[in-house]
Amino acid sequence: MSNVQTSVLYTKKYIIIFTELLHTKAFCIIIFAEKVVVLSQKSQYSCCIWKIFCKFAIMIKYIITSFPLQVCFFWSVVLLLDWFRLRSADKLRLLTFSLATTVLYAGHYIYFNQCYSMLPLTDTLYSAANLMVFPLYYLYIKEVTEGNITRRLTISLLMPAVIMALTLALCYGMMPQHDRLQFVSSILYGHDMELNTVWTTTCYVAHLVAKIVFAMQIPPVIISGYRKINRYDSMVKASYADVEDKQMYHINTVMVLMMMTSLASFAVNILGRQYFTVHTLWLAVPSLIFSVLLFMLFYAGHLQYVTVREVREEIGEETRRDSDAPSMVDVLDINQQIQPDNIDVLKDKIERLMTEEKMYLKPNLKISDVARRLMTNRDYIYKAVNVRSGMSFSDYVNRYRVEYAAHLLRTQPEMSIQEVAVKSGYTSLASFYRNFKNIKHCTPKEWYEGNEDAKK
């Protein structure tokens, strides 16, 4: 039989193997490559081609398993540079979170590439990091939105991860070498093994407990995170007219990404890592999803520079400038300090200040500016606006600004949108567009084109 005929024959066999594997939905690049190499050895003509394919398939597996690790390592370096430059507590929290995810996906890499000799160590670190990532992210959100993190809180949140690490380290350390190798090559990969010692049994139970604890961590972090962000945004909107550079738009995006990552993590946690050792090609799906989500998550955190510390310092500084005002009270916890009649009087004064003096046209207007102008406390202004108008100080001022901008668009159509925004008190065109659309439910251009008076 000629070399050409032999090559054709074995090529048909390769196609049959590929088709069978595809129809059984158990397609695996590595297994396929190994079968191909076995057949290729019978044909010198095709042996080199399939050896190259085999090496290429192994390379693809390395890329798939290392991609999330590379993303986390890259952002760990970036966030480390951010922390060196800013020395801020929030960047340090986010850096700690990124380092934990780096350790987590380093454990993934070792696991999926079946480095059995390293698995006792990496599995211990992986299990600890897996129970550490969500608490660390919660601490980051708390640092950004509240800033009052105690050592006791940090220790209590990270204690499960520490206990898990110590338990697995003790179990692996006390196992005989034969049992240890059999455990990591069997139990961790979903194969059966007789748990004939107390250490193998304890190690097995510890892995089950880790899955349960991990699943229990997700809902509190997501729910509490959203509440803290909303509370912070309410504080900012109660104190500033312009909130574009202070509200946590990036962190809100991060929370959505974190929720998506949590759902993906929960699904993978239920399936178990061993599922993807059998279905290697399917490993590319969660690997790509986690890589993209983590990249976006770290990028959003990298862009967030304003935290509650900066806002409180600025509010406190504004309050200290007004020597007649009492000490600042948290705007979200104001008690009944003034009578309803006095609130109505103060509300009328604020409205006259807006309608007659057009104070809303002042760029970067703060609630403390209004309090100083009326010689009262900023908390009283907050109460008069929030209680009687049912809206935040930011929304209150921006309604006046948008109505004024609509007046300019109607009476002075020759003005550009940029000029209208500046004359209406905005320092940011993006802020102008956002507020105009929220109030008028259309863009300035759409409003102008649809306004009958403007067309005449």
Side-chain angles (χ1 to χ4, degrees):
M1 186 179 293
S2 65
N3 285 337
V4 175
Q5 290 174 327
T6 304
S7 299
V8 170
L9 177 63
Y10 285 111
T11 300
K12 289 181 179 178
K13 292 183 178 181
Y14 302 147
I15 295 174
I16 291 172
I17 292 173
F18 180 83
T19 306
E20 289 177 352
L21 290 170
L22 191 62
H23 281 305
T24 58
K25 298 182 179 179
F27 176 69
C28 169
I29 293 179
I30 306 305
I31 296 176
F32 175 63
E34 289 173 352
K35 291 191 176 184
V36 163
V37 170
V38 172
L39 289 173
S40 299
Q41 290 173 351
K42 300 180 181 179
S43 171
Q44 294 180 353
Y45 178 77
S46 57
C47 182
C48 292
I49 296 176
W50 291 111
K51 280 185 177 179
I52 293 173
F53 176 79
C54 179
K55 291 181 180 179
F56 176 75
I58 294 173
M59 181 184 68
I60 292 296
K61 182 181 179 183
Y62 286 144
I63 293 174
I64 290 174
T65 55
S66 67
F67 201 51
L69 173 61
Q70 295 178 53
V71 170
C72 294
F73 179 76
F74 166 78
W75 279 111
S76 294
V77 174
V78 172
L79 293 170
L80 180 62
L81 295 176
D82 281 350
W83 181 73
F84 276 133
R85 180 166 54 90
L86 301 173
R87 297 288 178 173
S88 59
D90 61 299
K91 296 300 180 186
L92 181 60
R93 296 285 179 185
L94 191 59
L95 171 61
T96 307
F97 171 72
S98 70
L99 292 173
T101 57
T102 302
V103 172
L104 179 72
Y105 286 104
H108 268 298
Y109 180 81
I110 298 297
Y111 176 84
F112 287 113
N113 288 285
Q114 300 177 352
C115 303
Y116 296 130
S117 60
M118 298 179 64
L119 270 174
L121 173 62
T122 57
D123 182 57
T124 301
L125 296 175
Y126 165 83
S127 299
N130 199 36
L131 297 182
M132 199 177 288
V133 287
F134 278 98
L136 286 175
Y137 194 73
Y138 170 80
L139 291 173
Y140 166 67
I141 293 295
K142 187 172 176 62
E143 179 66 49
V144 172
T145 58
E146 295 180 354
N148 53 340
I149 298 179
T150 62
R151 182 176 299 179
R152 182 177 180 180
L153 175 64
T154 303
I155 293 174
S156 63
L157 289 176
L158 299 182
M159 187 58 66
V162 174
I163 293 174
M164 182 58 60
L166 293 175
T167 301
L168 292 180
L170 179 63
C171 290
Y172 281 128
M174 297 303 294
M175 283 185 198
Q177 184 175 358
H178 173 74
D179 289 348
R180 184 165 56 245
L181 181 60
Q182 189 177 5
F183 184 90
V184 298
S185 61
S186 299
I187 296 296
L188 295 186
Y189 289 90
H191 306 308
D192 294 331
M193 172 188 171
E194 184 179 353
L195 304 174
N196 50 11
T197 67
V198 65
W199 301 114
T200 54
T201 303
T202 304
C203 197
Y204 177 76
V205 172
H207 281 87
L208 293 179
V209 171
K211 286 187 176 184
I212 296 172
V213 173
F214 176 80
M216 292 173 61
Q217 288 177 340
I218 297 176
V221 170
I222 300 300
I223 295 172
S224 179
Y226 268 115
R227 287 177 177 174
K228 292 180 186 304
I229 290 173
N230 289 334
R231 182 179 174 86
Y232 168 86
D233 285 345
S234 296
M235 181 185 70
V236 170
K237 292 183 72 174
S239 303
Y240 300 91
D242 301 299
V243 297
E244 289 292 323
D245 60 336
K246 295 177 178 64
Q247 277 195 300
M248 301 198 168
Y249 297 113
H250 299 305
I251 301 299
N252 272 322
T253 303
V254 166
M255 287 307 300
V256 173
L257 295 173
M258 196 65 181
M259 183 171 64
M260 296 170 62
T261 306
S262 301
L263 293 174
S265 299
F266 184 72
V268 172
N269 192 49
I270 291 176
L271 288 174
R273 290 189 298 172
Q274 62 272 14
Y275 175 85
F276 297 98
T277 60
V278 179
H279 304 83
T280 310
L281 184 62
W282 288 107
L283 180 61
V285 176
S287 179
L288 181 61
I289 291 174
F290 283 122
S291 298
V292 173
L293 290 177
L294 286 167
F295 188 93
M296 295 173 68
L297 187 150
F298 286 123
Y299 180 67
H302 168 69
L303 294 178
Q304 185 67 41
Y305 285 100
V306 178
T307 68
V308 70
R309 293 178 186 273
E310 286 77 16
V311 172
R312 282 176 176 168
E313 287 175 4
E314 189 170 346
I315 292 175
E317 184 65 29
E318 290 290 334
T319 303
R320 285 190 292 272
R321 290 177 189 173
D322 190 355
S323 58
D324 295 330
S327 59
M328 184 183 68
V329 183
D330 189 343
V331 296
L332 298 177
D333 297 310
I334 299 173
N335 54 23
Q336 300 294 327
Q337 298 177 15
I338 53 179
Q339 298 300 320
D341 293 342
N342 293 333
I343 294 179
D344 291 332
V345 172
L346 187 56
K347 176 67 167 52
D348 292 338
K349 288 183 179 180
I350 296 171
E351 287 185 353
R352 285 198 299 271
L353 198 63
M354 296 296 168
T355 55
E356 297 176 7
E357 298 187 22
K358 292 184 171 60
M359 193 173 186
Y360 57 85
L361 296 180
K362 178 183 178 180
N364 298 314
L365 181 67
K366 305 179 188 68
I367 196 171
S368 55
D369 297 329
V370 179
R372 195 177 301 111
R373 177 67 180 78
L374 296 178
M375 294 187 296
T376 186
N377 181 268
R378 61 182 299 278
D379 299 327
Y380 297 161
I381 301 295
Y382 163 79
K383 196 168 188 179
V385 172
N386 189 74
V387 173
R388 288 295 181 258
S389 300
M391 63 181 75
S392 67
F393 178 74
S394 175
D395 293 337
Y396 180 78
V397 172
N398 279 295
R399 284 189 177 277
Y400 279 103
R401 287 179 173 178
V402 168
E403 290 301 328
Y404 185 78
H407 170 73
L408 292 179
L409 289 171
R410 185 173 59 252
T411 59
Q412 302 185 45
E414 71 280 0
M415 272 192 182
S416 67
I417 298 296
Q418 179 74 41
E419 289 177 311
V420 171
V422 172
K423 286 184 176 295
S424 300
Y426 289 100
T427 58
S428 165
L429 195 58
S431 178
F432 171 64
Y433 269 102
R434 183 180 64 83
N435 283 288
F436 196 99
K437 192 165 186 178
N438 284 344
I439 294 170
K440 295 294 187 181
H441 307 293
C442 62
T443 65
K445 184 178 180 181
E446 291 170 346
W447 184 90
Y448 172 76
E449 292 175 348
N451 186 273
E452 294 180 358
D453 294 333
K455 291 181 179 179
K456 293 180 181 180

